[in-house]
Amino acid sequence: MAWVRRHLLFLAAVLVLAYMLVPNVVVAVFSFNDPVGRYNYTWRAFSLDAWANPCGAAGICQSLGLSLRVGLVASLTATVLGTMVAFALGRHRFRGRAGTNLLIFMPMATPEVVMGSSLLTLFLMMGLPAGTLAITIAHIMFCISFVVVAVKARVATLDPRLEEAAADLGATPLQTFLRVTFPLAFPGILAGALLAFSLSFDDYIITNFTASPSSVTFPMYVWGAAQRGAPVQVNVIGTLMFLVALLVVVAGQALAARRERSRAG
Amino acid sequence: MAEHGAGDLRLTGLTKRFGDFTAVHPLDLTIPRGSFFALLGPSGCGKTTTLRMVAGLEEPSGGTIHLGDTDVTGTRAHRRNVNTVFQSYALFPHMTVLDNVMFGLRRKGDKQAEAKAREALELVQLGQAGGRRPGQLSGGMQQRVALARALVNRPDVLLLDEPLGALDLKLRRQMQIELKRIQQEVGLTFVHVTHDQEEAMTMADHIAVMNAGRIEQLADPATLYEHPASTFVANFLGQSNLLRARVEGGARDGLVRANTEGQELLLAADSVPEGLTDLWVGVRPEKLTLGEAGGRNRLGGRVVDASFTGVATQYVVRTPWGADLVVVQQNDGSARATPGEDVTLSWEPGREFVLDAAQDDHAGLDEVAVDG
Ligand SMILES: Nc1ncnc2c1ncn2[C@@H]1O[C@H](COP(=O)(O)OP(=O)(O)OP(=O)(O)O)[C@@H](O)[C@H]1O
Ligand SMILES: [Mg+2]
């Protein structure tokens, strides 16, 4: 009994972690399944077929490619625009600053269904056809808010004296930005960009409103596949994505730890 | 050296207002090229604001700044050949110490940037710290990096905002000597802001004493000490005994007769401004002598406190009318007075300074009261 009491915290942590990770484990395990029929819901036999041929299911890799392209363009554009907004909000006092701050939060607070349907109406009115371009524009829009929030938090911690010191030492405004401001704000910008990418890659509802039959993103493919029957390849790609995300997080932490050590050491 | 010092630094009517608060009142100041100029004053009197305007980091509300014949008032900071040692150091946290020091030279495309930077670090005794990050250094080390980073550029004007404030006494003295040596060798114009009056006195050719956004007095250290122009300067720079006195009669034999609390005083006529009858007569503690040997002016009193400091003894002597006078007596082997003893204080006419009695005799004593 004493042993349980002493290790209660540890046990609780293991349980919570298990609760969080079981879905990922199930996805990974079933990527090695060899199902009969259209559904990959019961374990039958071990097989590497899906891993050997991840694009084997019709349309899956096209949808993955589209999602990656949209995610890349949307997150890059949103990062550039959002970073500029964040600097303007964090650095300059201007009329309507409080109002702008509020408006930036709006897309984060609006339910996605509402935003998706409104966008569809807007695009129809403007004569913009549903499809890849519409999806990308929609993604850029909601990603900007998240980038702004991430970068603004970082900008708030920057000491404006550092930019003054750079100017004082003869750096032009551009040099000051490239050598001082940007490197110092970079962790926030990177966090914003990663967040934007994963939000874009992940989005289903807004995408669904703005997509055409020929622009099927990965989440849409999976959703459609789940209706018709899910190929094992979905699990393979899901597992790969989980591994990539894990790699990014671990690399980020290792980098942060190293910087911490060099700063404290 | 000829290529240095674009000329004198000339501030004309330089003003800075933040909203309705005037941080710097119209300021006229000429800082000769190649001189070591100190700006001295209590906290919040506008020293940093003045430097920031010279550096181009703060836009003046009025007035002009000239470097030699060039009007640089509207020139942006990165185009002025002026460098600053920031009060808060402002070192780049993401660069090594060496990269910090090289930053200015790199902007100018100096081929020997690294060698010069290493030399500058050597100078501030941080030769080993080049590869480290500012965050790994102590406050005093960071301050020396900031010093090296500005100094290495050999600008026309170097602005130093309390550059030695975080150093311990020994290092501070070393750095003072080092700074003075560099300034003289290279012939740069230094504008040195400090709280420390001793530092200002030992290092500077000229000192401007600032108070609440105005310059109270601008002079060389000796004049400032011997002939302060205001009670603020008298009290802020060293200790002063201020006696309220009234002139009685005109000058005779270069002396003016005055009266303080019924005691007759003789004052050097040339130190008493024409037409002034109500005066503060100021005498520095070391100008007073215990006993009658000091000179013709005599005041009686009782010792209320004596503190022995080694080279000297500092007494507080209370006059019959209740004023406390501070006396510093060299430890020359003569007998020391003890508290409770009745003594005479004396000094020779001419050792005093004279100010208008309309001024507040407590000005500059309580720095906090002067604030803002
Ligand atoms: N950006 C600003 N906005 C409003 N007031 C300011 C600003 N900068 C300085 N001040 C005010 O101007 C006055 C002078 O400030 P300054 O920093 O020049 O003082 P200082 O003499 O350098 O003081 P210290 O010795 O403490 O560094 C202060 O009262 C300060 O509050
Ligand atoms: Mg200051």
Side-chain angles (χ1 to χ4, degrees):
Chain A
M1 233 31 242
W3 186 90
V4 173
R5 214 172 301 136
R6 233 178 306 131
H7 294 84
L8 206 58
L9 182 67
F10 180 71
L11 282 173
V14 167
L15 280 176
V16 170
L17 270 179
Y19 179 70
M20 284 165 59
L21 289 177
V22 158
N24 289 306
V25 173
V26 170
V27 167
V29 168
F30 274 81
S31 71
F32 297 104
N33 196 10
D34 182 15
V36 275
R38 294 183 298 146
Y39 293 104
N40 181 18
Y41 295 153
T42 42
W43 183 260
R44 211 179 63 90
F46 181 85
S47 143
L48 283 173
D49 290 354
W51 280 93
N53 190 10
C55 287
I60 188 165
C61 278
Q62 283 91 308
S63 73
L64 181 64
L66 179 67
S67 271
L68 289 176
R69 276 201 309 281
V70 169
L72 222 57
V73 172
S75 59
L76 278 181
T77 316
T79 302
V80 171
L81 294 175
T83 299
M84 295 198 286
V85 174
F87 269 97
L89 287 174
R91 276 295 159 78
H92 301 287
R93 306 275 165 271
F94 53 89
R95 273 171 66 103
R97 181 164 160 270
T100 312
N101 253 326
L102 201 72
L103 286 176
I104 288 294
F105 270 100
M106 287 299 288
M108 292 161 76
T110 317
E112 282 199 56
V113 207
V114 177
M115 194 146 68
S117 55
S118 317
L119 275 172
L120 180 60
T121 318
L122 178 71
F123 288 158
L124 281 175
M125 268 166 45
M126 285 167 49
L128 183 78
T132 310
L133 182 63
I135 296 175
T136 312
I137 292 175
H139 283 199
I140 291 173
M141 188 213 60
F142 71 74
C143 284
I144 286 181
S145 300
F146 290 90
V147 174
V148 170
V149 170
V151 178
K152 212 169 66 151
R154 182 74 193 179
V155 169
T157 66
L158 292 189
D159 181 1
R161 291 265 184 284
L162 295 177
E163 285 160 317
E164 292 182 352
D168 186 73
L169 290 164
T172 62
L174 180 67
Q175 288 172 331
T176 300
F177 180 79
L178 291 179
R179 302 199 175 264
V180 177
T181 318
F182 184 74
L184 288 172
F186 183 71
I189 296 173
L190 184 67
L194 288 176
L195 188 64
F197 182 79
S198 79
L199 284 170
S200 162
F201 191 89
D202 200 37
D203 186 74
Y204 176 73
I205 300 176
I206 293 177
T207 312
N208 210 18
F209 274 104
T210 47
S212 70
S214 64
S215 59
V216 176
T217 64
F218 186 67
M220 289 172 70
Y221 177 87
V222 174
W223 175 249
Q227 312 259 301
R228 285 177 267 109
V232 184
Q233 275 80 0
V234 168
N235 291 48
V236 171
I237 290 175
T239 307
L240 280 174
M241 270 157 50
F242 176 71
L243 289 179
V244 168
L246 198 68
L247 205 71
V248 168
V249 170
V250 168
Q253 296 218 325
L255 215 69
R258 214 181 63 188
R259 188 172 304 168
E260 205 51 51
R261 253 201 316 281
S262 79
R263 202 162 282 180
Chain B
M1 262 173 247
E3 81 254 42
H4 267 298
D8 299 349
L9 173 64
R10 200 149 39 82
L11 314 181
T12 318
L14 197 64
T15 314
K16 183 67 200 184
R17 283 185 293 273
F18 295 107
D20 346 322
F21 173 73
T22 306
V24 178
H25 290 272
L27 187 81
D28 292 299
L29 198 59
T30 299
I31 299 174
R33 160 186 163 176
S35 67
F36 199 120
F37 190 92
L39 209 52
L40 188 62
S43 188
C45 73
K47 304 180 298 286
T48 298
T49 307
T50 307
L51 288 197
R52 286 172 58 79
M53 288 193 282
V54 175
L57 301 172
E58 198 85 70
E59 197 181 333
S61 312
T64 57
I65 303 164
H66 281 82
L67 247 178
D69 297 327
T70 328
D71 184 345
V72 297
T73 317
T75 309
R76 307 204 29 202
H78 66 275
R79 296 190 182 277
R80 298 189 193 188
N81 197 8
V82 171
N83 287 125
T84 309
V85 181
F86 288 81
Q87 191 166 12
S88 56
Y89 321 145
L91 300 176
F92 306 125
H94 58 299
M95 296 180 197
T96 63
V97 164
L98 188 67
D99 283 332
N100 263 278
V101 178
M102 282 198 288
F103 192 90
L105 296 173
R106 281 262 175 85
R107 301 285 79 72
K108 286 189 271 187
D110 193 317
K111 295 273 188 305
Q112 286 138 23
E114 185 169 343
K116 286 182 182 175
R118 288 196 186 281
E119 197 181 315
L121 280 174
E122 212 62 61
L123 195 72
V124 294
Q125 304 178 13
L126 286 175
Q128 305 304 312
R132 295 214 247 163
R133 298 277 170 121
Q136 298 168 257
L137 304 180
S138 74
M141 290 161 96
Q142 292 183 30
Q143 193 161 40
R144 281 180 281 154
V145 176
L147 198 58
R149 186 179 68 174
L151 208 53
V152 77
N153 301 296
R154 300 285 188 260
D156 293 335
V157 179
L158 188 66
L159 305 172
L160 305 110
D161 200 348
E162 310 209 16
L164 309 175
L167 306 184
D168 61 49
L169 197 66
K170 181 161 168 270
L171 201 54
R172 205 179 159 103
R173 293 279 170 266
Q174 282 177 18
M175 285 298 135
Q176 286 176 359
I177 294 168
E178 209 56 59
L179 275 180
K180 186 81 190 157
R181 188 181 63 75
I182 294 167
Q183 188 263 335
Q184 284 171 342
E185 259 179 35
V186 192
L188 309 178
T189 308
F190 274 38
V191 183
H192 183 115
V193 162
T194 172
H195 269 118
D196 180 346
Q197 41 156 312
E198 202 181 314
E199 186 172 295
M201 301 266 243
T202 51
M203 298 177 81
D205 312 321
H206 303 278
I207 301 175
V209 179
M210 232 179 145
N211 180 26
R214 295 174 211 275
I215 289 193
E216 292 259 340
Q217 189 177 4
L218 165 61
D220 61 281
T223 307
L224 217 52
Y225 189 76
E226 305 294 355
H227 303 287
S230 68
T231 51
F232 177 86
V233 177
N235 290 324
F236 191 73
L237 231 75
Q239 283 178 302
S240 289
N241 298 302
L242 292 175
L243 301 161
R244 187 62 176 266
R246 235 188 120 74
V247 174
E248 295 183 328
R252 194 171 343 130
D253 302 332
L255 292 176
V256 170
R257 215 172 285 279
N259 184 305
T260 179
E261 310 284 343
Q263 307 272 327
E264 179 165 288
L265 296 178
L266 292 172
L267 310 174
D270 50 12
S271 69
V272 184
E274 201 78 38
L276 205 61
T277 54
D278 285 305
L279 317 170
W280 288 117
V281 173
V283 193
R284 296 286 189 185
E286 71 282 1
K287 304 272 189 336
L288 287 170
T289 307
L290 228 48
E292 302 195 335
R296 283 174 280 172
N297 287 319
R298 311 253 155 95
L299 294 173
R302 176 169 294 171
V303 175
V304 291
D305 186 54
S307 39
F308 180 64
T309 60
V311 288
T313 309
Q314 176 169 313
Y315 299 99
V316 177
V317 176
R318 188 159 296 163
T319 60
W321 59 91
D324 283 342
L325 303 179
V326 181
V327 183
V328 172
Q329 209 69 71
Q330 282 303 316
N331 182 12
D332 53 6
S334 57
R336 284 198 287 276
T338 49
E341 209 175 313
D342 283 319
V343 293
T344 304
L345 302 177
S346 60
W347 81 93
E348 186 60 19
R351 304 262 165 91
E352 72 284 326
F353 54 87
V354 174
L355 296 167
D356 188 342
Q359 294 185 24
D360 175 14
D361 61 331
H362 289 303
L365 278 182
D366 185 4
E367 289 192 15
V368 185
V370 170
D371 224 357

